[in-house]
Amino acid sequence: MSGYSDDLSLAHLLADAADSISMARFRALDLHVESKPDLTPVSDADTAVEKAIRATLARARPRDGVLGEEYGMSMPSAGNGSRHWVIDPIDGTKNFIRGVPIWATLIALVEDDVPVAGLVSAPALGRRWWGATGHGAYAGRHQAGATRIRVSAVNRLADASCCYSSLSGWEETGRLEPMLDLLRQAWRSRAYGDFYGYMLLAEGALDVMVEPELSLWDVAALIPIVREAGGTFTDLQGRPGPGGGSAIATNGPLHDEVLTRLAPEPA
C-alpha cells in the first residue's frame, strides 16, 4: 500500500517509544505533576514522551515540522515543506495522574493544514487505532494484528448512543440546554471523554461524540481515523477540519440533526 504507509509505520514506531515511557510512569509513586499557565496539569511523563517523539522525528523526518502540546511549534530543520506532525503526548493527563487507564498518545500528520494520518495509542488499555487518507481505519494491539473498523449505520437519534467529555464546557460556552436536550433525545448517553469516545465511534460502538472546546493536538489524530471509518467530523458550525476549536463527530446519517441541535444561533 502506497500513500501514507511509511508515515503510518513511523507513527507506530513513535508510539512504541511513547508507550514504553508512559507505562513506566503510570501509577508511579514519584510521578511529578505541575500546573500549566492555563491551570491544566502536566506530568513528567507528558514532557518525556513529547521529547522522545520530537527527537525521533528530527532524525527521521527533518523536512517536517512538529507541533506538540508541551513545546509548541518547531520548524523543519531541512527545507520548508508543507507537512508537520501534531503530537499530544498524553491525552487524558487527568486520568493518567489519577491512575485511570483511559489515556493515550495522539500522533497526527498534517499536510497543507489537513490531517491526513493519525494514530492513537492507549497502552494501559492494550489498544491502538490508526488511519490515513485512502488507507482505511484499523484497530488492534499493533500494526501486524489489525482489524478494519467501521462506524455504525444507526440513522435515528432515538436509537443512538451519544458521548461527551463533560457538561461543564457546554455550560461555560452557553450551550448547556441544547446539549442536555440532545442527550434526552438519544437512546443512551455516556461521558467516556477525551480520545476514547471518538475511537468508540470509529469502531461503531457509539454513534455521536461532541466537544465544545478543543485544541489542534486534541483532534488532529482523531479526524483521519473517524473519516476513514466512514464517519463525519466537523466543528459546531459544520466546518470540516480541525481549526474550529470544537467537534461534532458522528457516524454520518446523524450528523445534520446533531449539528442543527448544537450549532450556535446566528447573532
Side-chain angles (χ1 to χ4, degrees), residues 93-148:
T93 298
K94 291 178 182 177
N95 282 347
F96 184 88
I97 63 179
R98 288 297 303 270
V100 178
I102 302 174
W103 49 270
T105 295
L106 312 186
I107 301 168
L109 175 63
V110 175
E111 282 187 342
D112 297 319
D113 298 323
V114 177
V116 294
L119 182 146
V120 173
S121 184
L125 299 178
R127 196 156 179 81
R128 286 184 187 177
W129 300 261
W130 62 93
T133 302
H135 289 242
Y138 297 85
R141 281 186 169 272
H142 45 70
Q143 197 170 16
T147 300
R148 191 155 188 171

Side-chain angles (χ1 to χ4, degrees), residues 56 84 127 236:
T56 300
H84 64 274
R127 196 156 179 81
L236 282 168

Side-chain angles (χ1 to χ4, degrees), residues 233-246:
F233 203 120
T234 71
D235 66 10
L236 282 168
Q237 285 74 32
R239 298 171 297 200
S246 59

Side-chain angles (χ1 to χ4, degrees), residues 3-4 6-8 10-11 57 61 64-65 82-87 106-119 131-133 220-221 224:
Y4 300 102
D6 289 345
D7 297 307
L8 284 173
L10 175 59
L57 286 173
R61 294 288 191 273
D64 297 346
S82 61
R83 299 169 25 127
H84 64 274
W85 297 79
V86 179
I87 310 300
L106 312 186
I107 301 168
L109 175 63
V110 175
E111 282 187 342
D112 297 319
D113 298 323
V114 177
V116 294
L119 182 146
T133 302

